Amino acid sequence: SLPIYASQDGSNLVLRMDNAVVAGDPVAYHAGGVKSMGKFSMTYGKVEVRAKFTQGRGSWPAIWMMPEPATAYGGWPACGEIDIMEHVNNESVMYHTIHNSSVTNANGGSTASKAATYNTTDYNLYTMIWSPNDIRFYVNNVLQYTYARVSGGGTQQWPFDVPFYLILNQAGGAGWPGAITNADLPFSMQVDYVRVYKLPLFSNGDFESGTIYPWTTWGGGSSVVSTDARTGSRCIRETGGETSIEQYLTGLTPNTTYWFGGYAKVSTAGQSVSIGVKNFGGTAVNATIGTTSYSNASVTFTTGANNTTATVYFYKPLSGTVYGDDFYLEKL
Ligand SMILES: [Ca+2]
């Protein structure tokens, strides 16, 4: 009977590769994989896959994503590819890789790739967090590589604004790893679980993470500092000239009113800083704060009939130093 190459063993998905002879089938090697194409795809969000796999000469297990439809921006690599985990042969590292027509060369190699160590004898947790700003790869919750969207880079550099589906497979014997050493067979990948999450509407409003992410900076004068917090131990500081932080929101509901606000203070009386929202399908709104101790400002905004995104910001128009903390977003 035909060997089973993709199965469940009670606690894992098991994907195998071997050289068993299959009657009537002249192919030397068979291997298993699964994909969610046509059943599940996502734009932005988080993917977690807990898996382990064997090593061997010619082996190529992978956890990756492709766009749906596959030709969203033309053929490969222009359409984009997100490789959450790839491993080849007996290497002590695995790889996180991005493909698109900006980073992928004619031989299929990518300049947007990072080798990272992993526990070769046990399960590892492979995580990808995909926002409109960047794609981040983690092994066992430690950030290994960030592929950032470049302003003005277009879809050649960022074809990652369309749905992508998941692929889990045990491959080998062709391309990157090269020929299989039969004595190393069978190869297998065991997948304990796959979990996917939507991005929160808004996050890191209190800066207690110690990083600006997922806010992005503009003007270069912004940093998270461990002084002057309103609550907790950290806040955002903007210094120098015109400076801003922005957070791009996705997953908003059209024709819906939201409330965005926060707390801020300025170093010197006469300065001001503004809290605002733009690009939501209506007229941009903002409110200013000019107090030397923390005070609150907020705005409401209503998304347009077809708008599910918006940009919230904390903007300092002039020189001087300001602080912000405890930003919030609520649906009204
Ligand atoms: Ca804080």
Side-chain angles (χ1 to χ4, degrees), residues 16-20 27-31 55-61 88-90 170-188:
R16 280 171 41 84
M17 181 168 198
D18 67 21
N19 61 345
V27 174
Y29 300 99
H30 295 82
Q55 296 198 344
R57 186 74 219 175
S59 181
W60 189 2
V88 292
N89 300 320
N90 297 303
Q170 171 64 61
W176 188 6
I180 289 172
T181 296
N182 286 348
D184 290 351
L185 293 169
F187 304 142
S188 71

PDB file of all heavy atoms in Angstrom, residues 16-20 27-31 55-61 88-90 170-188:
ATOM      1  N   ARG A  16       6.718  13.329   6.370  1.00  0.00           N
ATOM      2  CA  ARG A  16       7.855  12.425   6.179  1.00  0.00           C
ATOM      3  C   ARG A  16       8.408  12.502   4.761  1.00  0.00           C
ATOM      4  O   ARG A  16       7.711  12.891   3.828  1.00  0.00           O
ATOM      5  CB  ARG A  16       7.416  10.979   6.422  1.00  0.00           C
ATOM      6  CG  ARG A  16       7.313  10.555   7.871  1.00  0.00           C
ATOM      7  CD  ARG A  16       6.662   9.185   7.970  1.00  0.00           C
ATOM      8  NE  ARG A  16       7.128   8.243   6.948  1.00  0.00           N
ATOM      9  CZ  ARG A  16       8.254   7.510   7.055  1.00  0.00           C
ATOM     10  NH1 ARG A  16       9.006   7.597   8.138  1.00  0.00           N
ATOM     11  NH2 ARG A  16       8.598   6.682   6.089  1.00  0.00           N
ATOM     12  N   MET A  17       9.646  12.064   4.623  1.00  0.00           N
ATOM     13  CA  MET A  17      10.250  11.881   3.299  1.00  0.00           C
ATOM     14  C   MET A  17      11.104  10.622   3.353  1.00  0.00           C
ATOM     15  O   MET A  17      11.895  10.445   4.280  1.00  0.00           O
ATOM     16  CB  MET A  17      11.101  13.089   2.920  1.00  0.00           C
ATOM     17  CG  MET A  17      11.730  12.963   1.534  1.00  0.00           C
ATOM     18  SD  MET A  17      12.427  14.521   0.957  1.00  0.00           S
ATOM     19  CE  MET A  17      12.541  14.176  -0.810  1.00  0.00           C
ATOM     20  N   ASP A  18      10.930   9.761   2.345  1.00  0.00           N
ATOM     21  CA  ASP A  18      11.783   8.574   2.268  1.00  0.00           C
ATOM     22  C   ASP A  18      11.915   8.118   0.813  1.00  0.00           C
ATOM     23  O   ASP A  18      11.402   8.764  -0.107  1.00  0.00           O
ATOM     24  CB  ASP A  18      11.274   7.466   3.195  1.00  0.00           C
ATOM     25  CG  ASP A  18       9.931   6.885   2.760  1.00  0.00           C
ATOM     26  OD1 ASP A  18       9.573   7.034   1.571  1.00  0.00           O
ATOM     27  OD2 ASP A  18       9.251   6.290   3.603  1.00  0.00           O
ATOM     28  N   ASN A  19      12.598   6.997   0.635  1.00  0.00           N
ATOM     29  CA  ASN A  19      12.821   6.471  -0.722  1.00  0.00           C
ATOM     30  C   ASN A  19      12.126   5.122  -0.899  1.00  0.00           C
ATOM     31  O   ASN A  19      12.575   4.285  -1.669  1.00  0.00           O
ATOM     32  CB  ASN A  19      14.309   6.354  -1.025  1.00  0.00           C
ATOM     33  CG  ASN A  19      15.014   5.402  -0.068  1.00  0.00           C
ATOM     34  OD1 ASN A  19      14.454   5.037   0.981  1.00  0.00           O
ATOM     35  ND2 ASN A  19      16.235   5.016  -0.407  1.00  0.00           N
ATOM     36  N   ALA A  20      11.023   4.916  -0.170  1.00  0.00           N
ATOM     37  CA  ALA A  20      10.272   3.664  -0.326  1.00  0.00           C
ATOM     38  C   ALA A  20       9.836   3.490  -1.782  1.00  0.00           C
ATOM     39  O   ALA A  20       9.460   4.464  -2.445  1.00  0.00           O
ATOM     40  CB  ALA A  20       9.056   3.676   0.593  1.00  0.00           C
ATOM     41  N   VAL A  27       8.948   7.467  -9.227  1.00  0.00           N
ATOM     42  CA  VAL A  27       9.635   8.549  -8.513  1.00  0.00           C
ATOM     43  C   VAL A  27      10.463   7.962  -7.365  1.00  0.00           C
ATOM     44  O   VAL A  27       9.973   7.129  -6.594  1.00  0.00           O
ATOM     45  CB  VAL A  27       8.592   9.567  -7.976  1.00  0.00           C
ATOM     46  CG1 VAL A  27       9.249  10.615  -7.107  1.00  0.00           C
ATOM     47  CG2 VAL A  27       7.876  10.215  -9.148  1.00  0.00           C
ATOM     48  N   ALA A  28      11.711   8.400  -7.253  1.00  0.00           N
ATOM     49  CA  ALA A  28      12.640   7.804  -6.283  1.00  0.00           C
ATOM     50  C   ALA A  28      12.315   8.192  -4.845  1.00  0.00           C
ATOM     51  O   ALA A  28      12.561   7.426  -3.915  1.00  0.00           O
ATOM     52  CB  ALA A  28      14.070   8.210  -6.620  1.00  0.00           C
ATOM     53  N   TYR A  29      11.808   9.401  -4.660  1.00  0.00           N
ATOM     54  CA  TYR A  29      11.548   9.898  -3.302  1.00  0.00           C
ATOM     55  C   TYR A  29      10.129  10.437  -3.219  1.00  0.00           C
ATOM     56  O   TYR A  29       9.609  11.007  -4.175  1.00  0.00           O
ATOM     57  CB  TYR A  29      12.532  11.024  -2.944  1.00  0.00           C
ATOM     58  CG  TYR A  29      13.978  10.602  -2.982  1.00  0.00           C
ATOM     59  CD1 TYR A  29      14.759  10.894  -4.093  1.00  0.00           C
ATOM     60  CD2 TYR A  29      14.558   9.932  -1.904  1.00  0.00           C
ATOM     61  CE1 TYR A  29      16.088  10.512  -4.148  1.00  0.00           C
ATOM     62  CE2 TYR A  29      15.888   9.536  -1.941  1.00  0.00           C
ATOM     63  CZ  TYR A  29      16.663   9.830  -3.069  1.00  0.00           C
ATOM     64  OH  TYR A  29      17.979   9.441  -3.117  1.00  0.00           O
ATOM     65  N   HIS A  30       9.522  10.272  -2.058  1.00  0.00           N
ATOM     66  CA  HIS A  30       8.200  10.855  -1.803  1.00  0.00           C
ATOM     67  C   HIS A  30       8.262  11.622  -0.498  1.00  0.00           C
ATOM     68  O   HIS A  30       9.020  11.263   0.413  1.00  0.00           O
ATOM     69  CB  HIS A  30       7.137   9.765  -1.713  1.00  0.00           C
ATOM     70  CG  HIS A  30       6.927   9.024  -3.001  1.00  0.00           C
ATOM     71  ND1 HIS A  30       7.741   7.994  -3.401  1.00  0.00           N
ATOM     72  CD2 HIS A  30       6.009   9.185  -3.989  1.00  0.00           C
ATOM     73  CE1 HIS A  30       7.336   7.552  -4.576  1.00  0.00           C
ATOM     74  NE2 HIS A  30       6.280   8.249  -4.962  1.00  0.00           N
ATOM     75  N   ALA A  31       7.461  12.670  -0.405  1.00  0.00           N
ATOM     76  CA  ALA A  31       7.506  13.521   0.781  1.00  0.00           C
ATOM     77  C   ALA A  31       6.132  14.114   1.040  1.00  0.00           C
ATOM     78  O   ALA A  31       5.290  14.168   0.142  1.00  0.00           O
ATOM     79  CB  ALA A  31       8.530  14.645   0.596  1.00  0.00           C
ATOM     80  N   GLN A  55      17.666  16.021  10.945  1.00  0.00           N
ATOM     81  CA  GLN A  55      18.669  16.522  10.014  1.00  0.00           C
ATOM     82  C   GLN A  55      19.064  15.387   9.071  1.00  0.00           C
ATOM     83  O   GLN A  55      18.818  14.221   9.353  1.00  0.00           O
ATOM     84  CB  GLN A  55      19.902  17.002  10.778  1.00  0.00           C
ATOM     85  CG  GLN A  55      19.623  18.183  11.697  1.00  0.00           C
ATOM     86  CD  GLN A  55      20.889  18.903  12.105  1.00  0.00           C
ATOM     87  OE1 GLN A  55      21.993  18.391  11.959  1.00  0.00           O
ATOM     88  NE2 GLN A  55      20.739  20.113  12.623  1.00  0.00           N
ATOM     89  N   GLY A  56      19.689  15.728   7.967  1.00  0.00           N
ATOM     90  CA  GLY A  56      20.179  14.710   7.051  1.00  0.00           C
ATOM     91  C   GLY A  56      20.609  15.346   5.750  1.00  0.00           C
ATOM     92  O   GLY A  56      20.097  16.410   5.371  1.00  0.00           O
ATOM     93  N   ARG A  57      21.530  14.699   5.092  1.00  0.00           N
ATOM     94  CA  ARG A  57      22.064  15.243   3.839  1.00  0.00           C
ATOM     95  C   ARG A  57      20.961  15.212   2.770  1.00  0.00           C
ATOM     96  O   ARG A  57      20.457  14.151   2.417  1.00  0.00           O
ATOM     97  CB  ARG A  57      23.269  14.401   3.414  1.00  0.00           C
ATOM     98  CG  ARG A  57      24.016  14.920   2.214  1.00  0.00           C
ATOM     99  CD  ARG A  57      24.835  16.141   2.535  1.00  0.00           C
ATOM    100  NE  ARG A  57      24.747  17.084   1.417  1.00  0.00           N
ATOM    101  CZ  ARG A  57      25.287  18.301   1.424  1.00  0.00           C
ATOM    102  NH1 ARG A  57      25.933  18.735   2.479  1.00  0.00           N
ATOM    103  NH2 ARG A  57      25.163  19.082   0.376  1.00  0.00           N
ATOM    104  N   GLY A  58      20.577  16.408   2.302  1.00  0.00           N
ATOM    105  CA  GLY A  58      19.519  16.514   1.293  1.00  0.00           C
ATOM    106  C   GLY A  58      18.175  16.922   1.853  1.00  0.00           C
ATOM    107  O   GLY A  58      17.234  17.164   1.095  1.00  0.00           O
ATOM    108  N   SER A  59      18.079  17.051   3.189  1.00  0.00           N
ATOM    109  CA  SER A  59      16.784  17.376   3.800  1.00  0.00           C
ATOM    110  C   SER A  59      16.494  18.877   3.749  1.00  0.00           C
ATOM    111  O   SER A  59      17.402  19.704   3.853  1.00  0.00           O
ATOM    112  CB  SER A  59      16.769  16.903   5.265  1.00  0.00           C
ATOM    113  OG  SER A  59      15.518  17.197   5.857  1.00  0.00           O
ATOM    114  N   TRP A  60      15.208  19.208   3.609  1.00  0.00           N
ATOM    115  CA  TRP A  60      14.794  20.615   3.502  1.00  0.00           C
ATOM    116  C   TRP A  60      13.390  20.806   4.084  1.00  0.00           C
ATOM    117  O   TRP A  60      12.426  20.979   3.338  1.00  0.00           O
ATOM    118  CB  TRP A  60      14.848  21.050   2.037  1.00  0.00           C
ATOM    119  CG  TRP A  60      14.664  22.503   1.759  1.00  0.00           C
ATOM    120  CD1 TRP A  60      14.482  23.531   2.643  1.00  0.00           C
ATOM    121  CD2 TRP A  60      14.639  23.108   0.450  1.00  0.00           C
ATOM    122  NE1 TRP A  60      14.363  24.726   1.993  1.00  0.00           N
ATOM    123  CE2 TRP A  60      14.457  24.503   0.646  1.00  0.00           C
ATOM    124  CE3 TRP A  60      14.761  22.610  -0.853  1.00  0.00           C
ATOM    125  CZ2 TRP A  60      14.386  25.389  -0.436  1.00  0.00           C
ATOM    126  CZ3 TRP A  60      14.700  23.491  -1.920  1.00  0.00           C
ATOM    127  CH2 TRP A  60      14.518  24.868  -1.710  1.00  0.00           C
ATOM    128  N   PRO A  61      13.239  20.754   5.416  1.00  0.00           N
ATOM    129  CA  PRO A  61      11.941  21.063   6.023  1.00  0.00           C
ATOM    130  C   PRO A  61      11.693  22.568   5.993  1.00  0.00           C
ATOM    131  O   PRO A  61      12.651  23.360   6.082  1.00  0.00           O
ATOM    132  CB  PRO A  61      12.083  20.550   7.460  1.00  0.00           C
ATOM    133  CG  PRO A  61      13.551  20.669   7.746  1.00  0.00           C
ATOM    134  CD  PRO A  61      14.253  20.418   6.425  1.00  0.00           C
ATOM    135  N   VAL A  88      18.398  23.159   6.063  1.00  0.00           N
ATOM    136  CA  VAL A  88      18.941  22.228   5.061  1.00  0.00           C
ATOM    137  C   VAL A  88      20.068  21.391   5.664  1.00  0.00           C
ATOM    138  O   VAL A  88      20.841  21.858   6.515  1.00  0.00           O
ATOM    139  CB  VAL A  88      19.486  22.967   3.811  1.00  0.00           C
ATOM    140  CG1 VAL A  88      18.339  23.600   3.026  1.00  0.00           C
ATOM    141  CG2 VAL A  88      20.539  23.984   4.167  1.00  0.00           C
ATOM    142  N   ASN A  89      20.107  20.122   5.219  1.00  0.00           N
ATOM    143  CA  ASN A  89      21.217  19.205   5.500  1.00  0.00           C
ATOM    144  C   ASN A  89      21.435  19.015   7.002  1.00  0.00           C
ATOM    145  O   ASN A  89      20.484  18.781   7.729  1.00  0.00           O
ATOM    146  CB  ASN A  89      22.465  19.689   4.764  1.00  0.00           C
ATOM    147  CG  ASN A  89      22.231  19.735   3.257  1.00  0.00           C
ATOM    148  OD1 ASN A  89      21.599  18.848   2.715  1.00  0.00           O
ATOM    149  ND2 ASN A  89      22.699  20.785   2.590  1.00  0.00           N
ATOM    150  N   ASN A  90      22.699  19.147   7.424  1.00  0.00           N
ATOM    151  CA  ASN A  90      23.028  18.936   8.844  1.00  0.00           C
ATOM    152  C   ASN A  90      23.436  20.236   9.517  1.00  0.00           C
ATOM    153  O   ASN A  90      24.184  20.226  10.500  1.00  0.00           O
ATOM    154  CB  ASN A  90      24.146  17.901   8.968  1.00  0.00           C
ATOM    155  CG  ASN A  90      23.720  16.549   8.428  1.00  0.00           C
ATOM    156  OD1 ASN A  90      22.723  15.979   8.889  1.00  0.00           O
ATOM    157  ND2 ASN A  90      24.431  16.037   7.447  1.00  0.00           N
ATOM    158  N   GLN A 170       7.940  18.833   4.389  1.00  0.00           N
ATOM    159  CA  GLN A 170       9.249  18.178   4.453  1.00  0.00           C
ATOM    160  C   GLN A 170       9.654  17.905   3.007  1.00  0.00           C
ATOM    161  O   GLN A 170       9.048  17.052   2.348  1.00  0.00           O
ATOM    162  CB  GLN A 170       9.171  16.871   5.241  1.00  0.00           C
ATOM    163  CG  GLN A 170      10.441  16.035   5.170  1.00  0.00           C
ATOM    164  CD  GLN A 170      11.622  16.725   5.813  1.00  0.00           C
ATOM    165  OE1 GLN A 170      11.614  17.032   6.989  1.00  0.00           O
ATOM    166  NE2 GLN A 170      12.666  16.993   5.024  1.00  0.00           N
ATOM    167  N   ALA A 171      10.615  18.679   2.525  1.00  0.00           N
ATOM    168  CA  ALA A 171      11.085  18.492   1.155  1.00  0.00           C
ATOM    169  C   ALA A 171      12.545  18.053   1.195  1.00  0.00           C
ATOM    170  O   ALA A 171      13.120  17.846   2.261  1.00  0.00           O
ATOM    171  CB  ALA A 171      10.917  19.787   0.361  1.00  0.00           C
ATOM    172  N   GLY A 172      13.143  17.962   0.034  1.00  0.00           N
ATOM    173  CA  GLY A 172      14.559  17.619  -0.014  1.00  0.00           C
ATOM    174  C   GLY A 172      14.972  17.103  -1.373  1.00  0.00           C
ATOM    175  O   GLY A 172      14.137  16.868  -2.253  1.00  0.00           O
ATOM    176  N   GLY A 173      16.288  16.964  -1.538  1.00  0.00           N
ATOM    177  CA  GLY A 173      16.830  16.313  -2.717  1.00  0.00           C
ATOM    178  C   GLY A 173      16.899  17.157  -3.958  1.00  0.00           C
ATOM    179  O   GLY A 173      17.314  16.682  -5.014  1.00  0.00           O
ATOM    180  N   ALA A 174      16.497  18.406  -3.860  1.00  0.00           N
ATOM    181  CA  ALA A 174      16.545  19.283  -5.029  1.00  0.00           C
ATOM    182  C   ALA A 174      16.831  20.697  -4.560  1.00  0.00           C
ATOM    183  O   ALA A 174      16.525  21.059  -3.417  1.00  0.00           O
ATOM    184  CB  ALA A 174      15.219  19.243  -5.780  1.00  0.00           C
ATOM    185  N   GLY A 175      17.417  21.504  -5.440  1.00  0.00           N
ATOM    186  CA  GLY A 175      17.638  22.909  -5.109  1.00  0.00           C
ATOM    187  C   GLY A 175      18.665  23.087  -4.001  1.00  0.00           C
ATOM    188  O   GLY A 175      19.725  22.451  -3.979  1.00  0.00           O
ATOM    189  N   TRP A 176      18.319  23.905  -3.049  1.00  0.00           N
ATOM    190  CA  TRP A 176      19.235  24.369  -2.007  1.00  0.00           C
ATOM    191  C   TRP A 176      20.035  23.254  -1.300  1.00  0.00           C
ATOM    192  O   TRP A 176      21.268  23.307  -1.242  1.00  0.00           O
ATOM    193  CB  TRP A 176      18.432  25.214  -1.017  1.00  0.00           C
ATOM    194  CG  TRP A 176      19.205  25.934   0.027  1.00  0.00           C
ATOM    195  CD1 TRP A 176      20.572  26.039   0.165  1.00  0.00           C
ATOM    196  CD2 TRP A 176      18.650  26.672   1.115  1.00  0.00           C
ATOM    197  NE1 TRP A 176      20.886  26.785   1.259  1.00  0.00           N
ATOM    198  CE2 TRP A 176      19.731  27.181   1.861  1.00  0.00           C
ATOM    199  CE3 TRP A 176      17.344  26.950   1.520  1.00  0.00           C
ATOM    200  CZ2 TRP A 176      19.539  27.965   3.006  1.00  0.00           C
ATOM    201  CZ3 TRP A 176      17.157  27.723   2.651  1.00  0.00           C
ATOM    202  CH2 TRP A 176      18.243  28.232   3.388  1.00  0.00           C
ATOM    203  N   PRO A 177      19.400  22.213  -0.746  1.00  0.00           N
ATOM    204  CA  PRO A 177      20.201  21.238   0.012  1.00  0.00           C
ATOM    205  C   PRO A 177      21.022  20.307  -0.863  1.00  0.00           C
ATOM    206  O   PRO A 177      21.982  19.696  -0.376  1.00  0.00           O
ATOM    207  CB  PRO A 177      19.142  20.455   0.794  1.00  0.00           C
ATOM    208  CG  PRO A 177      17.918  20.552  -0.033  1.00  0.00           C
ATOM    209  CD  PRO A 177      17.966  21.908  -0.673  1.00  0.00           C
ATOM    210  N   GLY A 178      20.661  20.155  -2.132  1.00  0.00           N
ATOM    211  CA  GLY A 178      21.363  19.217  -2.997  1.00  0.00           C
ATOM    212  C   GLY A 178      20.852  17.792  -2.805  1.00  0.00           C
ATOM    213  O   GLY A 178      19.790  17.564  -2.230  1.00  0.00           O
ATOM    214  N   ALA A 179      21.660  16.836  -3.294  1.00  0.00           N
ATOM    215  CA  ALA A 179      21.219  15.438  -3.354  1.00  0.00           C
ATOM    216  C   ALA A 179      21.048  14.829  -1.965  1.00  0.00           C
ATOM    217  O   ALA A 179      21.716  15.216  -1.005  1.00  0.00           O
ATOM    218  CB  ALA A 179      22.212  14.617  -4.158  1.00  0.00           C
ATOM    219  N   ILE A 180      20.165  13.854  -1.906  1.00  0.00           N
ATOM    220  CA  ILE A 180      19.893  13.134  -0.661  1.00  0.00           C
ATOM    221  C   ILE A 180      20.914  12.017  -0.468  1.00  0.00           C
ATOM    222  O   ILE A 180      21.270  11.305  -1.412  1.00  0.00           O
ATOM    223  CB  ILE A 180      18.459  12.550  -0.700  1.00  0.00           C
ATOM    224  CG1 ILE A 180      17.443  13.694  -0.573  1.00  0.00           C
ATOM    225  CG2 ILE A 180      18.259  11.510   0.403  1.00  0.00           C
ATOM    226  CD1 ILE A 180      16.007  13.263  -0.799  1.00  0.00           C
ATOM    227  N   THR A 181      21.393  11.856   0.751  1.00  0.00           N
ATOM    228  CA  THR A 181      22.148  10.671   1.161  1.00  0.00           C
ATOM    229  C   THR A 181      21.135   9.673   1.719  1.00  0.00           C
ATOM    230  O   THR A 181      20.544   9.909   2.779  1.00  0.00           O
ATOM    231  CB  THR A 181      23.195  11.050   2.224  1.00  0.00           C
ATOM    232  OG1 THR A 181      24.131  11.950   1.631  1.00  0.00           O
ATOM    233  CG2 THR A 181      23.920   9.821   2.743  1.00  0.00           C
ATOM    234  N   ASN A 182      20.926   8.589   0.988  1.00  0.00           N
ATOM    235  CA  ASN A 182      19.843   7.672   1.352  1.00  0.00           C
ATOM    236  C   ASN A 182      19.981   7.113   2.769  1.00  0.00           C
ATOM    237  O   ASN A 182      18.980   6.849   3.438  1.00  0.00           O
ATOM    238  CB  ASN A 182      19.754   6.530   0.349  1.00  0.00           C
ATOM    239  CG  ASN A 182      19.141   6.990  -0.971  1.00  0.00           C
ATOM    240  OD1 ASN A 182      18.596   8.083  -1.061  1.00  0.00           O
ATOM    241  ND2 ASN A 182      19.260   6.165  -1.995  1.00  0.00           N
ATOM    242  N   ALA A 183      21.226   6.967   3.220  1.00  0.00           N
ATOM    243  CA  ALA A 183      21.431   6.433   4.568  1.00  0.00           C
ATOM    244  C   ALA A 183      20.870   7.354   5.644  1.00  0.00           C
ATOM    245  O   ALA A 183      20.644   6.917   6.772  1.00  0.00           O
ATOM    246  CB  ALA A 183      22.919   6.197   4.811  1.00  0.00           C
ATOM    247  N   ASP A 184      20.667   8.625   5.303  1.00  0.00           N
ATOM    248  CA  ASP A 184      20.138   9.587   6.289  1.00  0.00           C
ATOM    249  C   ASP A 184      18.607   9.545   6.377  1.00  0.00           C
ATOM    250  O   ASP A 184      18.018  10.176   7.239  1.00  0.00           O
ATOM    251  CB  ASP A 184      20.569  11.008   5.933  1.00  0.00           C
ATOM    252  CG  ASP A 184      22.059  11.232   6.131  1.00  0.00           C
ATOM    253  OD1 ASP A 184      22.723  10.338   6.705  1.00  0.00           O
ATOM    254  OD2 ASP A 184      22.552  12.297   5.727  1.00  0.00           O
ATOM    255  N   LEU A 185      17.952   8.844   5.452  1.00  0.00           N
ATOM    256  CA  LEU A 185      16.487   8.775   5.442  1.00  0.00           C
ATOM    257  C   LEU A 185      15.985   7.868   6.561  1.00  0.00           C
ATOM    258  O   LEU A 185      16.721   6.977   6.987  1.00  0.00           O
ATOM    259  CB  LEU A 185      15.999   8.259   4.083  1.00  0.00           C
ATOM    260  CG  LEU A 185      16.246   9.196   2.902  1.00  0.00           C
ATOM    261  CD1 LEU A 185      15.976   8.455   1.588  1.00  0.00           C
ATOM    262  CD2 LEU A 185      15.353  10.440   3.000  1.00  0.00           C
ATOM    263  N   PRO A 186      14.734   7.989   6.996  1.00  0.00           N
ATOM    264  CA  PRO A 186      13.759   8.986   6.526  1.00  0.00           C
ATOM    265  C   PRO A 186      13.986  10.349   7.172  1.00  0.00           C
ATOM    266  O   PRO A 186      14.536  10.440   8.267  1.00  0.00           O
ATOM    267  CB  PRO A 186      12.431   8.380   6.980  1.00  0.00           C
ATOM    268  CG  PRO A 186      12.789   7.642   8.252  1.00  0.00           C
ATOM    269  CD  PRO A 186      14.171   7.085   8.000  1.00  0.00           C
ATOM    270  N   PHE A 187      13.523  11.398   6.483  1.00  0.00           N
ATOM    271  CA  PHE A 187      13.469  12.741   7.059  1.00  0.00           C
ATOM    272  C   PHE A 187      12.054  12.953   7.585  1.00  0.00           C
ATOM    273  O   PHE A 187      11.088  12.425   7.010  1.00  0.00           O
ATOM    274  CB  PHE A 187      13.744  13.824   6.010  1.00  0.00           C
ATOM    275  CG  PHE A 187      15.053  13.676   5.284  1.00  0.00           C
ATOM    276  CD1 PHE A 187      15.139  13.983   3.928  1.00  0.00           C
ATOM    277  CD2 PHE A 187      16.205  13.262   5.945  1.00  0.00           C
ATOM    278  CE1 PHE A 187      16.342  13.879   3.247  1.00  0.00           C
ATOM    279  CE2 PHE A 187      17.418  13.152   5.270  1.00  0.00           C
ATOM    280  CZ  PHE A 187      17.487  13.448   3.922  1.00  0.00           C
ATOM    281  N   SER A 188      11.930  13.753   8.646  1.00  0.00           N
ATOM    282  CA  SER A 188      10.571  14.060   9.097  1.00  0.00           C
ATOM    283  C   SER A 188      10.531  15.377   9.850  1.00  0.00           C
ATOM    284  O   SER A 188      11.524  15.787  10.470  1.00  0.00           O
ATOM    285  CB  SER A 188      10.021  12.941   9.986  1.00  0.00           C
ATOM    286  OG  SER A 188      10.674  12.927  11.230  1.00  0.00           O
TER     287      SER A 188
END
